[in-house]
Amino acid sequence: MLVPHHPSMLIAPQNTSAENHDNMEGQKQLHHFDESLMPNQSNIPSQFIWPDHEKPCLTPPELHIPPIDLKAFLSGDPQAVSAICAEANEACKKHGFFLVVNHGVDRKLIAQAHKLIDDFFCMQLSQKQKAQRKIGEHCGYANSFMGRFSSKLPWKETLSFHYSADKSSKSVEDYFLNVMGEDFRKFGSVFQEYCEAMSKLSLGIMELLGMTLGVGRECFRDFFEGNESVMRLNYYPPCQKPELALGTGPHCDPTSLTILHQDQVEGLQVFVDGRWYSVAPKEDAFVVNIGDTFMALSNGLFKSCMHRAVVNNKIVRKSLAFFLCPNRDKVVTPPEDLISNENPRTYPDFTWPSLLEFTQKHYRSDTETLDAFSRWLLEKNN
């Protein structure tokens, strides 16, 4: 039976040293929640306080990003396709963020998924820990990046799980049943359907990106047809000192494409032209951004942009993030049409698991991830 609980507060262990920024030896450091301290605590633990140069701006200007009408693009109307590709091209070359509207995803399904975020994260900690993320893994339940970092911690809880586009597999349903038990059959069913909808949506977006880059609709769609992706549920509790903490620190996504649905609480910020901008929530739109893997696939033409999430002191913020990833055996290499004397080859060939290993075990993702990964890969191969 699901046991409801109160939204919780982040409490860090007292013996964690801020100097131990990277805990690569695999020592387990739990940063857990204790809701009983929430009403009375006026300060937050030092492990969750970010340096002055990274502290959030709580009233940034809004980033105006184009709403891409996917239905109009998929209609094949030449004028609509040309105009939409021009908008996508400008956004992807500048910062890699755009909105998708008329996406065809059932609103009831989105609402169900958001409701289940509440149901999961409001349970007792002991129940959530059935899905505890293991050291060195990127899926499971976590309320900070356990075992790796002991400073600049994110003020959030997450639940991440794999999705496979293999039609013979029900990977999400199986995950909830195997890890959480029979009471979570509905969770598995809803999020299996949600991931299938995200996979379908991502393939439509890949058609758009292929047309925008001039390599045709099928090029990237075919590449991601059998994707092995990751779904993440984000839950950001209220924070007494939102001006000191971050829900998610500044980073670039190492994956190929992120499709995000926000609730109606602001929090997403994007770093463009040397300053932070907010991305306002829109109930009928998904926020899409280019990740490092697709930046490599486009030979650096489309940008993977730094972004973060801020928190507030009044209300929980929730979001659904689908991270599109290629099949583990696919080699990430740009189409020949994107390589020229003016735009020579930028990154070496790689597979997604090797970049994932690098970001999970050796490097904290930032704007230099691909360059650092390229150097690491060349050294490793030599």
Side-chain angles (χ1 to χ4, degrees):
M1 186 175 75
L2 305 186
V3 181
H5 201 41
H6 297 293
S8 38
M9 172 185 169
L10 285 154
I11 302 298
Q14 297 306 303
N15 61 353
T16 311
S17 168
E19 295 171 3
N20 247 354
H21 184 73
D22 247 334
N23 185 18
M24 300 305 294
E25 287 72 40
Q27 298 172 341
K28 190 167 185 178
Q29 299 174 0
L30 292 178
H31 306 280
H32 60 86
F33 286 80
D34 186 349
E35 80 293 339
S36 64
L37 297 177
M38 188 175 184
N40 304 316
Q41 184 139 332
S42 59
N43 295 311
I44 63 174
S46 61
Q47 289 85 350
F48 297 92
I49 297 175
W50 287 65
D52 287 344
H53 70 282
E54 291 185 294
K55 283 190 172 71
C57 168
L58 299 180
T59 55
E62 184 178 339
L63 181 65
H64 296 286
I65 54 180
I68 299 298
D69 187 332
L70 195 63
K71 184 178 180 181
F73 169 77
L74 294 174
S75 73
D77 174 72
Q79 276 190 310
V81 169
S82 177
I84 290 167
C85 285
E87 285 187 313
N89 186 57
E90 183 180 356
C92 290
K93 285 183 174 176
K94 184 174 176 61
H95 48 62
F97 273 77
F98 55 92
L99 300 177
V100 171
V101 297
N102 287 330
H103 42 69
V105 180
D106 187 348
R107 288 186 180 186
K108 290 181 181 177
L109 177 61
I110 297 171
Q112 275 186 302
H114 275 286
K115 165 127 186 0
L116 290 179
I117 294 180
D118 277 326
D119 289 351
F120 182 86
F121 290 106
C122 290
M123 293 191 309
Q124 295 279 359
L125 177 63
S126 59
Q127 279 204 293
K128 291 181 283 191
Q129 285 180 324
K130 287 181 182 178
Q132 187 80 52
R133 182 189 298 179
K134 294 180 174 62
I135 295 294
E137 295 186 359
H138 64 284
C139 284
Y141 166 75
N143 41 36
S144 74
F145 295 112
M146 295 182 230
R148 284 193 71 199
F149 306 113
S150 56
S151 65
K152 300 202 297 185
L153 297 180
W155 192 271
K156 67 176 177 180
E157 294 181 80
T158 63
L159 178 67
S160 308
F161 42 90
H162 290 284
Y163 164 76
S164 172
D166 181 352
K167 300 295 184 188
S168 65
S169 163
K170 292 289 184 184
S171 54
V172 178
E173 287 186 5
D174 292 344
Y175 172 81
F176 278 97
L177 284 174
N178 293 339
V179 173
M180 299 299 293
E182 184 64 34
D183 287 337
F184 287 79
R185 184 173 289 276
K186 182 182 178 183
F187 278 73
S189 175
V190 169
F191 284 114
Q192 179 73 42
E193 185 180 354
Y194 187 87
C195 287
E196 288 169 358
M198 292 300 101
S199 180
K200 180 181 178 182
L201 176 59
S202 68
L203 295 182
I205 295 169
M206 282 300 157
E207 287 189 32
L208 167 66
L209 298 181
M211 289 289 284
T212 302
L213 284 166
V215 295
R217 287 178 181 264
E218 292 79 23
C219 180
F220 299 127
R221 181 189 177 94
D222 291 350
F223 186 82
F224 289 99
E225 190 78 49
N227 65 85
E228 296 176 353
S229 298
V230 176
M231 182 74 211
R232 177 168 297 158
L233 317 182
N234 294 310
Y235 187 89
Y236 302 92
C239 176
Q240 307 90 304
K241 299 284 186 180
E243 71 279 6
L244 302 180
L246 286 171
T248 303
H251 68 287
C252 296
D253 295 337
T255 48
S256 299
L257 196 74
T258 303
I259 305 177
L260 181 79
H261 194 274
Q262 309 182 78
D263 65 7
Q264 295 309 293
V265 181
E266 285 203 21
L268 176 62
Q269 295 185 354
V270 181
F271 195 70
V272 182
D273 294 334
R275 68 179 301 180
W276 288 101
Y277 291 83
S278 69
V279 178
K282 289 183 170 54
E283 191 175 4
D284 62 345
F286 288 97
V287 180
V288 177
N289 67 274
I290 302 295
D292 289 339
T293 300
F294 194 85
M295 184 171 163
L297 262 182
S298 73
N299 199 31
L301 291 172
F302 283 0
K303 305 305 178 191
S304 175
C305 188
M306 189 159 66
H307 53 286
R308 68 184 183 184
V310 299
V311 290
N312 69 81
N313 60 5
K314 293 183 173 65
I315 189 170
V316 168
R317 176 177 177 262
K318 306 183 295 293
S319 66
L320 298 152
F322 181 82
F323 299 100
L324 179 69
C325 310
N327 184 285
R328 61 184 299 108
D329 297 325
K330 293 277 189 180
V331 176
V332 177
T333 187
E336 289 185 9
D337 289 350
L338 302 183
I339 304 168
S340 65
N341 290 334
E342 295 75 30
N343 191 45
R345 186 69 188 272
T346 308
Y347 307 107
D349 287 355
F350 63 90
T351 59
W352 162 240
S354 61
L355 177 57
L356 179 63
E357 177 195 349
F358 179 69
T359 57
Q360 291 298 306
K361 297 181 179 179
H362 305 288
Y363 197 81
R364 195 170 192 171
S365 294
D366 60 16
T367 55
E368 306 301 321
T369 299
L370 269 183
D371 291 330
F373 171 65
S374 297
R375 292 191 296 271
W376 176 79
L377 197 61
L378 291 171
E379 289 172 9
K380 184 181 177 184
N381 290 340
N382 289 335

